[in-house]
Amino acid sequence: MICTVCQTNYHFQRNSWRFEGCSENGEGIYIVESHVFTPDILQAILEHAIQNETVVISVDAYLAEYTECEGCQRLNIQLNKERHALLNLPKYEKIIYYDSF
């Protein structure tokens, strides 16, 4: 995945996120640190949640949501279907997912 406008290569950004901790009610809070919210980033977050037995997660994709690059905006829209497909996989079906994207 390379943005056609800014030429940023998003192939190797699987680790472009951080775990902020858990809220008072045990919800895992994650921050996407990329201008494109790739399925690889989401999968890494979901794997982290499973490993830490976190059932409810909230993902803040502010950087991707408000990117100024039109090409990156298009990539985010195009990848939306792939991200949602991940959430429907049996492996992740027990995770309750909230996003700000």
Side-chain angles (χ1 to χ4, degrees):
M1 267 166 287
I2 298 175
C3 176
T4 58
V5 176
C6 70
Q7 302 302 312
T8 302
N9 185 342
Y10 290 102
H11 286 289
F12 304 107
Q13 296 211 0
R14 180 176 174 85
N15 295 320
S16 295
W17 59 275
R18 73 177 182 272
F19 176 63
E20 285 288 300
C22 290
S23 66
E24 292 177 9
N25 61 358
E27 178 179 292
I29 301 170
Y30 295 87
I31 308 293
V32 174
E33 296 179 326
S34 173
H35 290 286
V36 174
F37 188 8
T38 67
D40 286 343
I41 292 172
L42 178 57
Q43 186 172 19
I45 290 170
L46 294 170
E47 288 295 325
H48 183 270
I50 286 175
Q51 290 172 2
N52 292 286
E53 299 178 358
T54 306
V55 177
V56 180
I57 65 172
S58 175
V59 178
D60 181 347
Y62 179 85
L63 279 179
E65 186 174 358
Y66 294 104
T67 184
E68 293 181 19
C69 176
E70 290 180 22
C72 292
Q73 289 172 0
R74 282 192 299 272
L75 275 174
N76 280 314
I77 292 167
Q78 291 168 353
L79 295 172
N80 191 35
K81 186 176 181 179
E82 291 178 45
R83 287 192 309 270
H84 280 100
L86 275 174
L87 296 171
N88 293 324
L89 292 175
K91 182 176 185 177
Y92 306 125
E93 67 185 4
K94 293 183 180 182
I95 295 176
I96 300 169
Y97 173 83
Y98 297 103
D99 66 15
S100 65
F101 188 70

